[in-house]
Amino acid sequence: MSEHVFPADVVHHDWDRSRPAALTITSGDIVHYDLRMAGHGQLDLGDSFSDARLDLATMYHLAGPVAIDGALPGDTIAIEVLELTPGDWGWTAILPGLGLLPDDFPVGVIRTFPLANRT
């Protein structure tokens, strides 16, 4: 078993199965990630909807893909999350025109909340 650190600067914004693997591991290996939150760099703690600089095309910062040596398309894999540490803050939003009830929530709202030093 080996441990790997996924490079934090390897980010993409689309699901594309032809994307080459950014990292190849062996079954049982451990991979450490420092993941960016959705909207990374597009809003700050305390921002309102009008303060945010949202770009839906780059909203989600995806890390990967990770290839598993010997795995084939259609194989089932199991992933165990060993530890998850939240960042210093988070956010939630109502984005006009999006979601399950876009006609019911036409006004954009963003709420941020601190997560640092929580027990």
Side-chain angles (χ1 to χ4, degrees), residues 42-44 47-54 110:
Q42 298 181 23
L43 69 162
D44 296 309
D47 278 358
S48 67
F49 184 77
S50 61
D51 296 326
R53 305 159 305 280
L54 298 179
I110 287 182

Side-chain angles (χ1 to χ4, degrees), residues 9-78:
D9 60 343
V10 176
V11 175
H12 59 89
H13 304 283
D14 61 341
W15 294 98
D16 181 352
R17 66 184 304 158
S18 68
R19 184 177 297 284
L23 177 66
T24 299
I25 65 171
T26 301
S27 180
D29 285 0
I30 294 173
V31 181
H32 299 269
Y33 292 89
D34 186 5
L35 300 173
R36 297 176 180 180
M37 76 162 102
H40 174 82
Q42 298 181 23
L43 69 162
D44 296 309
L45 180 62
D47 278 358
S48 67
F49 184 77
S50 61
D51 296 326
R53 305 159 305 280
L54 298 179
D55 174 8
L56 296 180
T58 61
M59 176 70 69
Y60 297 103
H61 297 256
L62 307 174
V66 173
I68 301 171
D69 193 34
L72 300 172
D75 284 354
T76 300
I77 61 171

